Amino acid sequence: MAPTAPKKPKNKKTAPLSPRRGLKNALGGPSFFGNLLTTVLIFLLLMSIYSLIEGFVQPTSSVPLSVVASDVGAGKISSITVNGDSLNLTYTDGSEKTSRKDPSAGLPETLATYGVTPEELSKVSITIQGQSGFQFWFLTLAPILIPLVFIALIFWFLSRQVKGAGMQAFSFGQSKARVIDPADLSQRVTFADVAGAREAKEELLEIVDFLKSPKKFLDIGARIPKGIILMGAPGTGKTLLARAVAGEAGVPFFSISGSEFVEMFVGVGASRVRDLFQLAKKAAPAIIFVDEIDAVGRVRGTGVGGGNDEREQTLNQILVEMDGFEPTEKVVVMAATNRPDVLDPALLRPGRFDRRVTIDLPDRRDREEILKIHARTKPLGPDVALAVIAERTPGFSGAELYSLMNEGAILAARENRKEVTQYDLIRSIEKVMLGPERKSHLLSKREKELTAYHEAGHALVSSVLEYADPVHKISVISRGRAAGYTLKLPFEDKKMQSKKQFLDDIAATLGGYVAEEMLFDDVTTGPSNDLMVITALARDMVVRYGMSDKLGPIAFGERALGNEPYSEEVAAKIDAEVSRIITDAKARAAQVISEHRKALDAIAKELTEKETVERDEFEKLLIANGITPKKKEEEGVTITT
Ligand code: ADP
Ligand code: MG
Ligand code: ZN
């Protein structure tokens, strides 16, 4: 394995195309209004040239043929120049006039019909002048061509404008890829910037090795995977890791997002893919990164919601490009998705994205490492213990930890402090989990009471049932989308959960619903999120964890259109089990609440008055009502709204 230490990026002499130069050209043009002004000026210029020539050819007043005839008869005209069907008349007094004749007849015949005798005509010198080729064509075509040129110019500038909006574009119809040049040290990311994800890094080291010295691999006939797909929850650092591979190897990084293709015109996506691959091949060794590939790579042809031609064409083009790779091509395609389940199987076939790297949510140690990375630029106070923050944030992704550190720094800065304290970080945990407090959102008195009973219901059931998480804090201050919330601290970092814990969790989550129903003899839309959570949980118990006695220890696959891993009959059984689990849990929650009705009232009253009840006060209320609080164990945090 190659050393992971960052190496000075190699000077890429082999790349004939400098991506940055391309970028600069695309961005260096004048502004849109500058363009418009130029267009208008060019138009005006053409118009004036045209009218100038027109004016030059027909300088003076025009007279009808009858006047010409009578003037010839009167001997007033000294000469006539015939130019096509236009006549230039020179009078004996030196003045000039023009006229027109019927193009099909000659001048003598025409004048004869007006009664001019041949003798009279012979006194006039007649010159027949062929129109010059240029003049003729210009005069005939200019009225048609000038508007056409003008329209073409407008289109051209508009298309440039469209590109400009997309920023880093190369030229119209070409790839909208962003390129990170390995020589640009400010943009460089290495493995040292990615905490945790040890296994993923190990796997990717091989790719780094290959991109660094492809010859070594190609000489020995080794076939390097063309496509690597990074799978993981949002914010786990997939994009970051892909960039780190490019940074480690010192190769250009071409990235494009699948979601960008979806809103494009049919055909544009495919041509962008083609251009992107061409650019990358020119710059090889290089990495092409397709972010959010599920946006284009969903199972094709299911007809759900109508086919999306653009998506399919784009996906097909990606497949065609990957299949067309020579074995010696030094381009590695990486892709990222948080929905590996919806990907088209064609993408995962050998020779395409056949290498899969999964990135898990960080565990406690990784979380601490991630916090450390993001604390590098922030002065921390002496009391800060990142290990404690890491302990309290199970389920946080790297991106959430990043924003936690950032929120902490914002809190410190707002209070004009030079250092971030532990308290700043603790407050940030809640903020990241729930969104900021919405002080402006005032609940009406009834809403507040209802929310108080709802949260009290959660808290009470959580405290009474043996395996539910102990309550840390309850609040009816609305946060994010939630009207109120109950913060619970689970006993352990929930890596593994048991059936009993799940059942108690479901009952506690239903506590809010049950309290509302019992007290107000009505239910609101408030618990809709709770219901979503428990339905998903109950379903997982049955189909994933084998926690249903009726169906037994079987993990059933996802049932989707065209993919039916089990029969209708089994599906009905699953639904029945899910509904039984929920009904049982509801009955247990109802029993706890009616048994401890006095405690519920006390908690709700306290909540209505104080809006936020911390753990100590809450436990006093429990003890006063004959409930023994659970032993304190500070680990992660879960929230029920
Ligand atoms: P994804 O692409 O998986 O949604 P990103 O790579 O965009 O996630 O991560 C967003 C941000 O979160 C990163 O820019 C980084 O600041 C932070 N982050 C995520 N995972 C990690 C990690 N393992 N180590 C350090 N920072 C991380
Ligand atoms: Mg990403
Ligand atoms: Zn709730």
Side-chain angles (χ1 to χ4, degrees):
M1 291 267 159
T4 51
K7 260 182 80 180
K8 206 173 149 273
K10 278 172 285 174
N11 200 356
K12 295 209 36 45
K13 275 188 237 97
T14 44
L17 167 139
S18 157
R20 277 161 98 209
R21 203 177 338 115
L23 278 183
K24 220 169 163 192
N25 281 347
L27 297 175
S31 74
F32 175 64
F33 287 105
N35 287 338
L36 200 67
L37 199 69
T38 323
T39 319
V40 170
L41 281 179
I42 289 176
F43 181 63
L44 288 177
L45 195 72
L46 286 175
M47 288 302 281
S48 54
I49 289 175
Y50 178 70
S51 57
L52 216 102
I53 293 173
E54 276 270 63
F56 175 69
V57 173
Q58 294 186 330
T60 41
S61 60
S62 183
V63 291
L65 264 181
S66 55
V67 175
V68 177
S70 66
D71 284 354
V72 168
K76 283 191 201 159
I77 293 178
S78 61
S79 69
I80 301 178
T81 311
V82 184
N83 193 337
D85 55 354
S86 72
L87 309 174
N88 286 334
L89 317 166
T90 310
Y91 281 75
T92 44
D93 61 4
S95 67
E96 288 192 357
K97 285 186 178 149
T98 59
S99 184
R100 282 188 175 272
K101 70 171 178 66
D102 182 347
S104 59
L107 181 64
E109 296 92 79
T110 311
L111 289 180
T113 56
Y114 282 96
V116 177
T117 60
E119 296 88 73
E120 283 165 345
L121 194 61
S122 65
K123 284 183 212 143
V124 182
S125 80
I126 293 177
T127 331
I128 311 282
Q129 197 183 55
Q131 214 170 19
S132 84
F134 170 76
Q135 255 186 358
F136 174 78
W137 285 111
F138 187 84
L139 288 177
T140 337
L141 291 181
I144 309 162
L145 276 185
I146 287 183
L148 276 181
V149 167
F150 185 57
I151 289 168
L153 276 174
I154 287 185
F155 267 99
W156 183 57
F157 285 131
L158 279 184
S159 77
R160 284 178 59 110
Q161 169 70 358
V162 167
K163 268 193 331 173
M167 283 300 281
Q168 293 98 336
F170 288 86
S171 73
F172 188 57
Q174 282 201 344
S175 132
K176 212 165 116 186
R178 281 164 293 274
V179 182
I180 298 175
D181 193 310
D184 185 356
L185 291 179
S186 67
Q187 294 240 54
R188 190 155 175 265
V189 174
T190 64
F191 280 168
D193 299 307
V194 188
R198 254 166 253 107
E199 282 163 44
K201 281 197 226 167
E202 284 274 311
E203 286 227 39
L204 292 172
L205 260 183
E206 189 184 306
I207 308 298
V208 172
D209 251 359
F210 169 73
L211 289 170
K212 261 186 188 163
S213 41
K215 197 171 172 306
K216 187 171 80 186
F217 288 81
L218 296 174
D219 282 353
I220 206 165
R223 208 185 123 264
I224 285 297
K226 291 181 207 172
I228 297 131
I229 195 153
L230 301 171
M231 301 173 169
T236 42
K238 300 179 292 293
T239 310
L240 190 71
L241 202 56
R243 281 183 60 179
V245 172
E248 288 286 337
V251 300
F253 180 76
F254 293 81
S255 78
I256 193 155
S257 175
S259 57
E260 285 163 21
F261 291 122
V262 177
E263 64 236 29
M264 289 192 304
F265 303 116
V266 171
V268 177
S271 87
R272 289 225 166 134
V273 168
R274 205 159 34 234
D275 295 334
L276 174 64
F277 275 74
Q278 224 149 41
L279 276 172
K281 279 185 202 170
K282 270 191 217 154
I287 287 180
I288 295 176
F289 180 60
V290 187
D291 211 348
E292 299 169 51
I293 196 168
D294 47 282
V296 288
R298 274 164 194 267
V299 179
R300 285 172 295 183
T302 51
V304 180
N308 182 338
D309 286 345
E310 177 55 15
R311 219 166 45 77
E312 288 199 5
Q313 285 189 18
T314 307
L315 175 60
N316 287 339
Q317 192 62 38
I318 291 176
L319 297 179
V320 165
E321 292 290 345
M322 290 185 77
D323 290 345
F325 271 2
E326 303 292 325
T328 53
E329 217 88 66
K330 302 178 197 84
V331 176
V332 172
V333 187
M334 296 181 78
T337 180
N338 45 35
R339 297 293 313 274
D341 50 317
V342 300
L343 285 187
D344 194 306
L347 268 174
L348 306 175
R349 230 176 273 146
R352 291 169 180 171
F353 292 100
D354 48 1
R355 191 70 69 92
R356 271 159 256 182
V357 175
T358 311
I359 308 178
D360 291 320
L361 281 173
D363 63 15
R364 212 183 60 197
R365 221 166 27 143
D366 293 344
R367 288 198 299 273
E368 192 177 341
E369 293 301 313
I370 295 175
L371 286 169
K372 271 188 197 151
I373 284 182
H374 295 297
R376 286 198 293 221
T377 51
K378 302 176 180 69
L380 301 181
D383 65 328
V384 170
L386 292 180
V388 173
I389 303 295
E391 233 163 60
R392 293 205 178 186
T393 46
F396 269 46
S397 68
E400 282 168 322
L401 291 168
Y402 165 75
S403 69
L404 188 159
M405 281 311 291
N406 196 45
E407 289 293 342
I410 289 173
L411 282 175
R414 272 166 81 183
E415 290 166 19
N416 295 319
R417 278 180 282 111
K418 294 262 180 291
E419 285 177 335
V420 181
T421 64
Q422 182 78 347
Y423 184 53
D424 293 330
L425 297 179
I426 300 247
R427 279 187 289 169
S428 305
I429 298 180
E430 263 174 78
K431 209 164 172 184
V432 172
M433 253 196 252
L434 293 158
E437 279 185 20
R438 282 194 318 199
K439 292 229 169 71
S440 58
H441 181 86
L442 294 176
L443 296 172
S444 71
K445 195 165 168 292
R446 184 183 148 85
E447 272 177 324
K448 200 165 173 180
E449 202 185 3
L450 197 107
T451 310
Y453 268 101
H454 179 101
E455 299 306 328
H458 285 311
L460 179 65
V461 178
S462 275
S463 308
V464 172
L465 294 181
E466 189 180 353
Y467 299 99
D469 299 323
V471 172
H472 172 69
K473 175 179 179 175
I474 330 169
S475 175
V476 290
I477 295 175
S478 56
R479 292 213 104 145
R481 288 198 324 272
Y485 61 97
T486 301
L487 209 66
K488 294 177 289 184
L489 291 173
F491 291 121
E492 295 115 32
D493 205 343
K494 287 192 174 171
K495 259 273 142 68
M496 238 191 302
Q497 277 192 295
S498 71
K499 182 174 171 182
K500 286 177 181 169
Q501 282 173 338
F502 278 143
L503 290 176
D504 282 3
D505 264 358
I506 294 176
T509 308
L510 272 171
Y513 178 94
V514 171
E516 281 188 36
E517 194 185 40
M518 266 191 184
L519 274 125
F520 300 89
D521 194 24
D522 194 6
V523 268
T524 63
T525 51
S528 70
N529 185 57
D530 291 346
L531 303 185
M532 249 161 57
V533 170
I534 57 155
T535 311
L537 190 55
R539 193 166 190 87
D540 276 351
M541 285 177 70
V542 178
V543 302
R544 285 178 65 189
Y545 306 127
M547 289 177 177
S548 146
D549 299 330
K550 279 236 175 65
L551 288 151
I554 302 172
F556 299 93
E558 276 294 318
R559 203 172 147 98
L561 215 88
N563 171 34
E564 282 156 25
Y566 48 81
S567 64
E568 262 336 303
E569 214 175 301
V570 174
K573 269 193 196 162
I574 290 174
D575 289 341
E577 272 297 89
V578 170
S579 110
R580 190 190 55 81
I581 289 174
I582 292 175
T583 319
D584 285 0
K586 191 186 160 198
R588 290 172 63 222
Q591 200 199 336
V592 170
I593 288 177
S594 48
E595 226 170 81
H596 299 279
R597 177 61 199 271
K598 262 177 44 212
L600 183 81
D601 288 336
I603 300 165
K605 187 162 162 274
E606 186 87 356
L607 258 179
T608 320
E609 267 167 30
K610 296 199 175 149
E611 296 191 343
T612 300
V613 177
E614 296 285 346
R615 181 171 186 161
D616 292 342
E617 299 165 76
F618 176 69
E619 290 185 347
K620 274 184 208 146
L621 284 174
L622 288 182
I623 293 167
N625 286 283
I627 302 168
T628 324
K630 296 181 179 179
K631 66 176 189 330
K632 288 189 193 191
E633 277 210 42
E634 305 253 324
E635 273 280 355
V637 184
T638 57
I639 289 185
T640 311
T641 57

